[in-house]
């Protein structure tokens, strides 16, 4: 059943990086906004007369906490009508029309295989939600590898928070990698996401695993090919495409 359109009131905004912003939205008319980690909401923005050209979907970056507040993390796209509207017109107190939750990019009911959560940019949003949810509810899991690709250290969303989680959750590995950072910097991964999951799969002798991919199309297309080449079935791969 399709969820109704609702009103969301923006109650907080923070800059996360030079071109990403965190928006906290209080859903009006409900005490609790129920959703599964990994799902998204669709905003209806006044940027076109045609309805389907007004819609922009964003993964929920927060985790279900029994409240009616959700967080979205949004990147400002050059020439992007939706993100430019949100960055330039929306302030604390603004109201947004939204529908959700939507989507089937969610955790399996039983976490009996290793999870590879592979993302670029704001594609980290659904994985942040998932990992916090697993931690807060003491859900049994095997190994979880959160592999996050971005250009520079300054682009690294939720870095301190996820590093802290990695110290609290045995078997959770937070692995950011940087494609344009100074190669002389020690103690960080350089390059793209693919070499990290390939190395782990080889080292661990191809563990039973599920792969969740979220981010830009180029990364997802390349990852699908590489994961199948590692010997996994395409049904082991779940994806959420951005852009």
């Amino acid at each position: 059943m399709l969820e109704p359109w609702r009103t969301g009131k923006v109650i907080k905004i923070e800059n996360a990086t030079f071109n990403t912003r965190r928006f906290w939205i209080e859903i009006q008319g409900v005490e609790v906004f129920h959703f599964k980690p990994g799902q998204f909401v669709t905003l209806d923005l006044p940027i076109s007369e045609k309805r389907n050209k007004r819609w922009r979907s964003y993964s929920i970056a927060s985790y279900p906490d029994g409240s009616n507040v959700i967080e979205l993390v949004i990147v400002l796209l050059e020439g992007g009508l939706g993100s430019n509207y949100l960055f330039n017109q929306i302030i604390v107190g603004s109201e947004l029309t939204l529908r959700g939750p939507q989507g089937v990019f969610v955790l399996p009911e039983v976490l009996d295989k290793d999870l590879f959560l592979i993302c670029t940019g704001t594609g980290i949003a659904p994985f942040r939600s998932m990992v916090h949810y697993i931690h807060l509810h003491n859900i049994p899991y095997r190994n979880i590898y959160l592999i996050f690709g971005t250009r520079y250290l300054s682009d690294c969303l939720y870095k301190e928070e996820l590093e802290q989680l990695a110290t609290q959750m045995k078997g959770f590995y937070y692995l950011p990698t940087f494609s344009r950072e100074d190669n002389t910097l020690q103690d960080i991964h350089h390059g793209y996401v693919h070499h990290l999951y390939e190395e782990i799969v080889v080292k661990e002798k191809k563990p039973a695993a599920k792969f969740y991919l979220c981010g830009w199309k180029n990364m997802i297309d390349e990852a699908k090919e590489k994961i199948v080449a590692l010997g996994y079935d395409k049904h082991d791969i779940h994806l959420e495409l951005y852009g």
Side-chain angles (χ1 to χ4, degrees):
M1 189 176 76
L2 203 57
E3 292 291 328
W5 289 101
R6 306 180 190 274
T7 299
K9 184 177 180 181
V10 178
I11 60 169
K12 184 180 177 183
I13 300 172
E14 276 187 8
N15 289 325
T17 70
F18 81 99
N19 69 341
T20 56
R21 199 169 281 180
R22 300 168 69 181
F23 295 82
W24 284 263
I25 301 168
E26 184 179 71
I27 313 300
Q28 307 297 289
V30 295
E31 288 188 11
V32 180
F33 185 71
H34 295 283
F35 66 95
K36 294 179 180 179
Q39 290 190 303
F40 64 88
V41 293
T42 297
L43 307 184
D44 186 351
L45 304 174
I47 54 176
S48 173
E49 293 183 2
K50 293 184 178 179
R51 186 172 58 177
N52 62 343
K53 291 191 175 182
R54 298 197 307 259
W55 293 352
R56 298 292 187 275
S57 295
Y58 299 100
S59 294
I60 301 170
S62 49
Y63 43 90
D65 62 359
S67 78
N68 62 346
V69 176
I70 61 171
E71 179 190 332
L72 306 180
V73 59
I74 296 172
V75 62
L76 179 63
L77 296 174
E78 188 175 346
L81 292 179
S83 61
N84 273 275
Y85 175 82
L86 291 166
F87 272 62
N88 296 321
Q89 303 297 326
I90 295 301
I91 60 173
V92 171
S94 296
E95 292 188 342
L96 294 164
T97 300
L98 58 85
R99 182 162 68 191
Q102 297 169 278
V104 294
F105 188 71
V106 296
L107 290 165
E109 290 198 10
V110 180
L111 305 183
D112 57 354
K113 298 180 178 181
D114 286 359
L115 289 180
F116 286 83
L117 311 177
I118 304 164
C119 56
T120 50
T122 54
I124 199 169
F127 299 147
R128 178 195 185 225
S129 181
M130 290 176 183
V131 175
H132 273 289
Y133 183 81
I134 290 166
H135 180 53
L136 287 171
H137 292 273
N138 294 311
I139 295 171
Y141 60 90
R142 290 183 38 154
N143 294 303
I144 302 174
Y145 303 96
L146 174 47
I147 300 172
F148 173 42
T150 190
R151 292 179 178 179
Y152 299 101
L153 272 164
S154 57
D155 301 326
C156 200
L157 297 165
Y158 305 114
K159 180 176 183 289
E160 291 79 11
E161 173 187 311
L162 292 168
E163 286 174 342
Q164 179 67 25
L165 262 184
T167 68
Q168 297 170 338
M169 296 175 65
K170 185 179 180 182
F172 167 56
Y173 304 94
Y174 169 58
L175 303 168
T177 183
F178 306 95
S179 61
R180 297 190 183 178
E181 196 51 88
D182 185 346
N183 282 330
T184 62
L185 285 178
Q186 303 295 312
D187 301 321
I188 66 170
H189 296 287
H190 295 275
Y192 297 105
V193 295
H194 309 292
H195 72 97
L196 287 174
Y197 61 79
E198 288 176 323
E199 286 175 7
I200 294 165
V201 165
V202 171
K203 181 181 176 184
E204 301 298 328
K205 299 180 181 175
K206 191 176 172 282
K210 286 186 177 291
F211 295 81
Y212 283 72
L213 313 176
C214 189
W216 297 108
K217 184 176 185 299
N218 288 349
M219 182 278 285
I220 286 179
D221 287 345
E222 192 171 346
K224 285 192 296 184
E225 287 183 14
K226 289 181 179 294
I227 292 163
V228 170
L230 287 166
Y232 291 95
D233 190 276
K234 63 182 180 181
H235 297 296
D236 296 323
I237 303 171
H238 310 268
L239 56 93
E240 192 83 291
L241 189 63
Y242 272 39

